[in-house]
């Protein structure tokens, strides 16, 4: 039922349409005869429904309007598309105000695709008041695996709480802009593990109320507030919404967070360089960008429990509406060119499901807060109507097991716990080889078959915590053989192994090179290996492929479990008594903070620095062979 308040607002908006637009809106839209009439009749009076006493009979419903005469509906989904071409016919009866609003949206190039009318749940962690006041502590940060959220925004970190920055999430991808000045305010993307200090989002697979595509024809640019109002206009009236998707911003006006609001660094309004206890924002203004946009919108005076909870946790005690109508919080991630193409027939999250080898695979350069003066002229977004707010509890500790607990005949030697490593020092304090249970069970079956042939498996490495990869990368940032922690490696997922073969007595068989030899001799395509080494490598490869493991070219010993891409990055300590170690804590250092303040005093608003290293760490044969030319193709997935 349309409220008296919303009908008055509809009338007010209609009063603003110029008369010259009437032929375009009505004549072209629904096929009216546009011959001028000698004495046009005045418009019919609009009567608002009167308040009725309890038990009074309901007023008769207005005549139904045949939507098929007004719109071209899709084959399977009811949607608001373009109006059909004009056809001769009699003048039709007056159209309801709601339908006029829909026509106006269609005229502006908007396409609404109804998905479901049921309100959904969002998850939330922390509160804006804690962020604003600088009261966040390391204990307040919770781990998040990017596949947990279909969309979200907030404050997160990859390295540590004092490097935390804004993030946006959109379908298996999380993007965090670090506030660590010592590493150039790097942006962390893809599927690296993050820790949330403050966040709101929708869980993976939660169905939105509708999708909006505003890109089929030129759309007049509108500011952020107007875009948000239009986006929620057709969603269930829950007074709270989350909007996420791809947009084009003719003008992006934002704020870049450059000092994490942790440990007393408060967003207290005093941004003077002389105030060491403030979090600093760098102003950003940039034209003509494509971005991943996430918006939380709430009606400030709503009595709905979900809206009230979001108002408290996302906007805090100082929350103010942009114009008295909506509270709006928005973050955006800038797409590196080329921006992904909009596909009106699929949810925006589909852009992340492209082939990992595609040169069009989307990347994000930076994450910022979007301010009301920004304008939008194209969009492909999903709108969730919030009916319930739940505490964030999506992250699940994985089941990691020791392989030897399942099969004691599998040998182990944790070389990374010795000094004989790439960095000439141990990266594990104590040796322990863990894998996801389902991966370990595959090795047990392989070992059983090999023993029948007179061989056994010997495991060198398995699961590696992300914090270990962070430390390793700081010591030796070589993308040929090591994974950048901005991506996270296959070992970080507990779904990769470094492995070799022995005889039944435990003697290692000859292989192309020694383990951890990082040069051409470790490559599967090395032509200088002996026939015996090649035969043994192929025997191991055959055995591992019997359980679905795949290889990479650069390391004969490395194998990836089937479905490894679906596992999230982890940072669970190898031993229960070991705390998770956050490696980089750069900008809590006074010198780093002073650098930020000095840039601010010069009006330097730059916040990005070039990435060091590629987002890959190995290539794999695409045809199932042991090597060849296809094995040299690079993929943006890191192995070690």
């Amino acid at each position: 039922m349309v409220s008296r308040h919303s009908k008055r607002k509809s009338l007010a908006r209609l009063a603003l349409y110029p008369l010259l637009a009437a032929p375009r809106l009505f004549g072209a839209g629904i096929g009216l005869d546009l011959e001028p009439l000698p004495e046009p009749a005045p418009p019919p009076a609009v009567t608002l429904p009167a308040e009725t006493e309890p038990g009074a009979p309901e007023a008769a419903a207005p005549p139904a309007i045949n939507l098929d005469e007004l719109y071209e509906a899709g084959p399977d989904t009811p949607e608001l598309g373009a109006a059909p071409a004009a056809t001769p016919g009699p003048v039709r009866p007056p159209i309801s105000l709601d339908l006029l609003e829909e026509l106006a949206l269609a005229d502006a190039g908007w396409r609404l695709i109804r998905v479901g009318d049921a309100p959904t749940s969002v998850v939330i962690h922390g509160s804006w008041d804690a962020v604003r006041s600088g009261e966040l502590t390391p204990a307040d940060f919770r781990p998040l695996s990017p596949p947990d959220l279909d969309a979200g925004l907030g404050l997160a970190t990859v390295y540590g709480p004092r490097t935390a920055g804004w993030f946006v999430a959109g379908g298996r991808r999380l993007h965090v802009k670090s506030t660590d000045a010592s590493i150039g305010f790097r942006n962390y993307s893809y599927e690296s593990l993050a820790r949330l200090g403050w966040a709101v989002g929708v869980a993976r697979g939660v169905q939105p109320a509708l999708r909006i595509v505003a890109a089929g024809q030129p759309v007049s640019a509108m500011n952020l507030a107007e875009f948000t109002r239009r986006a929620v206009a057709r969603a269930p009236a829950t007074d709270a919404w989350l909007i996420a998707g791809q947009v084009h911003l003719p003008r992006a006006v934002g704020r870049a967070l450059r000092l994490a609001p942790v440990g007393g660094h408060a967003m207290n309004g005093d941004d003077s360089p002389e105030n060491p206890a403030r979090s600093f924002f760098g102003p950003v203004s940039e034209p003509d960008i494509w971005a991943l946009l996430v918006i939380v919108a709430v009606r400030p005076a709503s009595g709905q429990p979900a809206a009230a909870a979001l108002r408290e946790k996302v906007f805090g005690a100082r929350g103010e509406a942009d114009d008295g109508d909506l509270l709006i919080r928005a973050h955006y991630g800038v797409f590196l060119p080329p921006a992904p193409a909009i596909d009106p027939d699929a949810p925006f999250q589909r852009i992340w499901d492209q082939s990992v080898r595609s040169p069009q695979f989307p990347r994000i350069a930076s994450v910022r807060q979007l301010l009301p003066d920004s304008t939008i002229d194209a969009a492909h977004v999903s709108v969730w109507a919030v009916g319930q707010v739940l505490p964030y509890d999506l992250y699940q500790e994985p089941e990691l097991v020791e392989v030897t607990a399942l099969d004691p005949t599998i040998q182990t030697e944790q070389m990374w716990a010795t000094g004989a490593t790439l960095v000439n020092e141990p990266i594990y304090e104590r040796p322990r080889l863990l894998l996801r249970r389902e991966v370990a069970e595959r090795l047990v079956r392989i070992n059983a078959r090999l023993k029948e042939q007179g061989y056994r498996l010997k495991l060198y490495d398995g699961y590696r915590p992300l914090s270990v990869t962070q430390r390793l990368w700081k010591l030796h940032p070589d993308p040929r053989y090591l994974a950048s922690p901005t991506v996270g490696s296959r070992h970080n997922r507990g779904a990769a192994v470094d492995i070799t073969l022995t005889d039944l007595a435990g003697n290692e068989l000859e292989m192309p090179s020694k383990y951890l030899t990082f040069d051409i001799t470790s490559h599967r395509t090395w032509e200088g290996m002996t026939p015996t080494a090649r035969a043994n490598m192929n025997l191991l490869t055959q055995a591992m492929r019997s359980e679905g493991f795949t290889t990479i070219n650069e390391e004969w010993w490395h194998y990836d479990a089937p479905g490894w891409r679906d596992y999230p990055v982890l940072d669970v300590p190898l031993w229960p008594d070991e705390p998770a170690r956050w490696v980089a804590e750069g900008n809590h250092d006074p010198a780093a903070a002073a650098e930020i303040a000095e840039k601010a005093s010069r009006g330097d608003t730059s916040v990005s620095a070039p990435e060091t290293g590629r987002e890959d760490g190995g290539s794999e044969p695409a045809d199932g062979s042991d090597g060849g030319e296809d094995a040299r193709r690079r993929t943006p997935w890191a192995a070690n």
Side-chain angles (χ1 to χ4, degrees):
M1 179 176 179
V2 179
S3 69
R4 176 180 296 181
H5 174 69
S6 63
K7 284 200 172 183
R8 284 175 177 159
K9 289 184 66 178
S10 300
L11 281 170
R13 282 196 290 272
L14 287 172
L16 296 177
Y17 291 135
L19 294 176
L20 292 176
R24 180 183 176 199
L25 179 58
F26 296 106
I30 58 176
L32 297 181
D33 185 356
L34 295 181
E35 289 297 324
L37 299 177
E39 296 181 1
V46 178
T47 304
L48 298 176
E51 299 289 345
T52 59
E53 296 294 331
E58 294 184 2
I65 296 174
N66 187 352
L67 293 179
D68 291 336
E69 295 179 355
L70 296 173
Y71 302 105
E72 294 175 351
D76 298 316
T77 57
E79 62 187 31
L80 174 58
T87 56
V91 175
R92 302 181 187 275
I95 303 175
S96 72
L97 290 175
D98 284 347
L99 202 51
L100 288 180
E101 286 189 317
E102 290 185 355
L103 282 168
L105 289 177
D107 184 66
W110 286 57
R111 178 183 176 195
L112 305 180
I113 303 172
R114 189 74 59 182
V115 179
D117 284 325
T120 56
S121 299
V122 297
V123 293
I124 195 162
H125 172 67
S127 72
W128 172 247
D129 282 338
V131 174
R132 181 188 55 78
S133 63
E135 294 176 357
L136 285 178
T137 68
D140 294 323
F141 285 78
R142 295 281 307 280
L144 166 82
S145 298
D148 290 348
L149 294 179
D150 252 354
L153 61 77
L155 183 86
T157 183
V158 172
Y159 269 115
R162 296 184 187 275
T163 68
W166 300 142
F167 84 85
V168 289
R172 289 190 66 88
R173 300 295 179 266
L174 187 91
H175 308 274
V176 183
K177 185 65 174 180
S178 171
T179 55
D180 190 348
S182 67
I183 55 174
F185 303 104
R186 183 173 296 163
N187 184 63
Y188 293 89
S189 299
Y190 221 56
E191 292 186 78
S192 276
L193 180 80
R195 297 175 179 89
L196 306 178
W198 167 68
V200 59
V202 290
R204 180 78 168 163
V206 173
Q207 190 180 60
L210 52 88
R211 292 194 294 114
I212 296 174
V213 180
Q217 57 181 317
V219 176
S220 298
M222 63 192 77
N223 63 32
L224 176 64
E226 178 61 20
F227 173 81
T228 304
R229 287 192 206 92
R230 289 195 180 209
V232 305
R234 290 294 157 198
T238 55
D239 291 348
W241 303 270
L242 191 144
I243 307 160
Q246 181 181 356
V247 298
H248 180 254
L249 302 167
R251 180 170 180 249
V253 180
R255 297 196 300 179
L257 183 62
R258 303 184 68 184
L259 193 63
V262 178
H265 290 148
M267 298 180 183
N268 54 15
D270 180 4
D271 60 357
S272 62
E274 291 76 21
N275 179 9
R278 90 279 183 257
S279 278
F280 177 74
F281 286 115
V284 175
S285 180
E286 48 195 341
D288 189 25
I289 63 168
W290 284 93
L292 171 64
L293 177 65
V294 181
I295 304 170
V296 178
V298 176
R299 297 208 184 279
S302 173
Q304 301 268 19
L310 279 182
R311 182 175 63 242
E312 175 191 353
K313 298 295 185 181
V314 177
F315 299 95
R318 295 187 179 184
E320 297 178 358
D322 65 288
D323 64 349
D325 184 30
L326 285 176
L327 289 163
I328 295 174
R329 174 85 193 192
H331 288 182
Y332 71 106
V334 182
F335 281 114
L336 286 171
I342 286 179
D343 180 4
D345 298 321
F348 83 89
Q349 294 95 325
R350 190 71 57 84
I351 65 175
W352 306 112
D353 296 331
Q354 299 179 43
S355 166
V356 296
R357 289 187 175 91
S358 168
Q360 305 298 317
F361 195 82
R363 301 276 193 268
I364 286 199
S366 190
V367 181
R368 295 151 186 170
Q369 181 184 0
L370 194 66
L371 299 178
D373 288 341
S374 304
T375 55
I376 299 170
D377 65 359
H380 180 200
V381 300
S382 293
V383 181
W384 289 266
V386 181
Q388 188 179 22
V389 175
L390 302 173
Y392 170 76
D393 194 22
L394 301 176
Y395 178 81
Q396 295 182 356
E397 292 286 348
E399 186 180 8
L400 297 172
V401 299
E402 294 190 70
V403 181
T404 53
L406 303 183
D407 184 353
T409 66
I410 295 178
Q411 297 184 84
T412 62
E413 184 180 7
Q414 179 49 285
M415 296 290 291
W416 285 100
T418 72
T421 66
L422 183 64
V423 293
N424 298 316
E425 62 179 75
I427 65 166
Y428 300 128
E429 294 183 3
R430 290 179 286 171
R432 194 182 193 195
L433 284 162
L434 300 176
L435 286 169
R436 292 181 182 272
R437 174 175 287 277
E438 56 270 31
V439 177
E441 289 173 345
R442 292 179 185 274
L443 294 184
V444 170
R445 292 193 291 269
I446 292 171
N447 194 55
R449 291 192 286 268
L450 283 170
K451 285 191 295 183
E452 295 176 356
Q453 304 174 53
Y455 305 104
R456 295 161 59 190
L457 291 176
K458 182 175 182 178
L459 188 61
Y460 290 129
D461 198 17
Y463 162 67
R464 182 181 302 157
L466 178 65
S467 55
V468 173
T469 295
Q470 290 170 341
R471 179 179 170 221
L472 193 57
W473 184 259
K474 287 174 75 71
L475 293 172
H476 193 85
D478 186 346
R480 295 175 301 166
Y481 299 105
L482 296 177
S484 166
T486 64
V487 181
S489 80
R490 309 169 194 191
H491 283 287
N492 296 151
R493 302 165 195 270
V497 294
D498 294 347
I499 206 163
T500 191
L501 282 178
T502 72
D503 59 24
L504 291 179
N507 302 306
E508 291 188 12
L509 302 189
E510 180 186 349
M511 290 294 175
S513 70
K514 290 185 177 181
Y515 178 55
L516 296 186
T517 300
F518 292 104
D519 58 30
I520 189 64
T521 64
S522 68
H523 290 205
R524 288 177 168 270
T525 52
W526 180 44
E527 297 178 354
M529 70 178 74
T530 68
T532 300
R534 184 172 297 280
N536 290 336
M537 180 184 72
N538 289 342
L539 174 63
L540 175 61
T541 301
Q542 239 178 3
M544 297 295 287
R545 283 181 178 165
S546 70
E547 287 289 336
F549 285 86
T550 55
T551 62
I552 64 173
N553 178 53
E554 286 81 1
E555 300 168 4
W556 61 261
W557 56 78
H558 180 95
Y559 290 86
D560 298 315
W564 64 265
R565 290 178 176 86
D566 297 325
Y567 292 112
V569 172
L570 304 172
D571 199 20
V572 179
L574 289 179
W575 298 91
D577 59 342
E578 290 181 355
R581 301 178 185 277
W582 287 341
V583 177
E585 292 286 321
N587 70 12
H588 73 295
D589 178 60
E595 175 191 351
I596 296 173
E598 193 270 333
K599 282 188 175 183
S601 66
R602 300 197 315 263
D604 184 351
T605 62
S606 61
V607 294
S608 299
E611 287 280 350
T612 56
R614 296 196 306 257
E615 288 192 349
D616 57 18
S619 60
E620 56 185 295
D623 58 358
S625 67
D626 284 343
E629 198 62 34
D630 282 339
R632 298 181 180 90
R633 297 195 308 173
R634 309 300 299 184
T635 115
W637 296 92
N640 276 317

